[in-house]
């Protein structure tokens, strides 16, 4: 079903994925150079040490964390696992190669009544931001935030493929131009799932309200892969993205757990 923006929240035209300034995580910030930075460009500091990213607890107050138990998501250490809410029964785990790389692997897991996690889809190849990952994401830093975040709202340029999540079909899900490697961006927003980082859950992915302020970035989505790094989003192959949109179930309180392998293993 379509999902409209919250009261007072403007909706805007999304331009080129790496050119227009309005969608910070999926578009080029206003201060960026005209040409996309090369993959070998010097990377900014990944942020202060420690797990202080804006995760589920900050974005969705009232959902308690739980201590590690016998049911354990593969690749997650006790600290990361403790951030997965107790009522969550569906988790997309996106594991990056390292803190400074833009390639990752995504797997969808579900937890049964006995508390055991099992893989239900994937593994899928994925991309994250050009310069890797950070615990302290800032607008335009070309890094993907590390943490555990809710997945509650979907949308895209194409019709609803059978989503269980609220789905907003809109022509404003537009991507054009070329990415960091010169790859075409058209179709990247055909299907998207909003990651609850610095956004208001329960609104269309197009909603631009940023509860933590614009300097903390926003508009971080899972979207269709364009064969290159993103601004801050996670991207999956088209068929995998369609499968994900159909699989995510709001009744299972789905989350995304994302970051480099070494950090998630803590």
């Amino acid at each position: 079903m379509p999902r409209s923006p919250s009261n007072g929240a403007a909706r805007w035209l999304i331009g080129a994925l790496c050119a227009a300034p309005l969608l910070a995580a999926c578009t080029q910030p206003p201060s960026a150079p005209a040409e996309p930075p090369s993959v070998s460009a010097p990377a900014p500091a990944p942020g202060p040490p420690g797990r202080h990213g804006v995760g589920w607890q900050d974005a969705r107050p009232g959902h308690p964390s739980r201590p590690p138990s016998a049911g354990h998501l593969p690749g997650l250490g006790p600290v990361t696992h403790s951030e997965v809410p107790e009522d969550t029964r569906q988790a997309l785990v996106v594991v990056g190669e390292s803190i400074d790389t833009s390639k990752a692997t995504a797997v969808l897991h579900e937890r049964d009544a006995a508390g055991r996690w099992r893989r239900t889809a994937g593994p899928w190849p994925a991309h994250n931001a050009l310069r890797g990952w950070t615990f302290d994401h800032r607008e335009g830093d070309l890094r993907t935030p590390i943490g555990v975040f809710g997945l509650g709202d979907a949308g895209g340029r194409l019709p609803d493929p059978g989503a269980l999540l609220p789905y907003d079909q809109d022509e404003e899900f537009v991507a054009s131009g070329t990415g960091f490697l010169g790859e075409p961006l058209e179709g990247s927003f055909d299907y998207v799932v909003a990651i609850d980082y610095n956004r208001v859950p329960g609104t269309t992915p197009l909603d631009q309200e940023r509860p933590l302020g614009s300097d903390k970035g926003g508009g971080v989505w899972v979207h269709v892969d364009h064969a290159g790094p993103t601004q801050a989003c996670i991207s999956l192959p088209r068929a995998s993205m369609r499968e994900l949109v159909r699989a995510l179930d709001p009744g299972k309180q789905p989350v995304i757990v994302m970051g480099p392998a070494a950090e998630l293993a803590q």
Side-chain angles (χ1 to χ4, degrees):
M1 57 186 261
R3 178 59 61 94
S4 299
S6 58
N7 291 338
R11 298 178 69 178
W12 73 106
L13 178 65
I14 302 174
L17 182 62
C18 295
L22 297 182
L23 188 61
C26 293
T27 55
Q28 194 79 341
S31 59
E35 294 297 323
S38 66
V39 176
S40 59
R51 306 186 68 83
H52 57 273
V54 181
W56 178 278
Q57 296 93 323
D58 302 294
R60 296 286 295 271
H63 288 257
S65 297
R66 61 183 175 87
S69 64
H72 203 74
L73 282 162
L76 271 57
V79 176
T80 304
H81 205 272
S82 71
E83 297 171 0
V84 178
E86 186 173 4
D87 55 359
T88 286
R89 293 186 290 120
Q90 199 171 44
L92 178 65
V93 179
V94 182
V95 181
E97 295 177 350
S98 73
I99 194 75
D100 295 322
T101 57
S102 60
K103 291 184 178 180
T105 300
V107 177
L108 184 64
H109 299 271
E110 290 193 11
R111 186 161 60 97
D112 62 23
R116 295 183 297 264
W117 288 96
R118 61 185 180 88
R119 184 178 72 188
T120 56
W124 299 316
H127 279 101
N128 54 280
L130 176 71
R131 294 177 177 172
W133 303 86
T134 180
F135 281 112
D136 188 23
H137 178 57
R138 301 286 171 171
E139 182 178 356
D141 66 5
L142 299 182
R143 289 184 180 270
T144 300
I146 300 169
V148 180
F149 307 94
L151 296 174
D153 301 284
R157 186 182 62 85
L158 297 182
D160 184 348
L164 300 176
L165 299 177
Y167 187 92
D168 179 23
Q169 182 192 5
D170 201 305
E171 291 298 323
E172 292 185 11
F173 288 100
V174 176
S176 60
T178 57
F180 294 116
L181 305 181
E183 75 279 12
L185 302 176
E186 184 177 359
S188 299
F189 300 155
D190 283 353
Y191 301 111
V192 311
V193 176
I195 297 172
D196 287 347
Y197 170 84
N198 198 17
R199 70 180 298 269
V200 179
T203 62
T204 171
L206 293 171
D207 181 26
Q208 62 177 321
E209 186 173 349
R210 302 290 177 253
L212 301 177
S214 59
D215 63 318
K216 291 291 290 181
V220 183
W221 297 347
V222 186
H223 62 69
V224 177
D225 187 61
H226 47 80
T230 69
Q231 291 281 338
C233 297
I234 300 296
S235 62
L236 301 176
R238 175 174 296 273
S240 306
M241 191 64 210
R242 183 181 172 89
E243 183 179 358
L244 177 69
V245 170
R246 291 171 58 91
L248 290 175
D249 183 348
K252 297 177 181 177
Q253 299 294 322
V255 300
I256 185 170
V257 184
M258 58 184 189
E263 300 297 338
L264 295 185
Q266 292 183 13

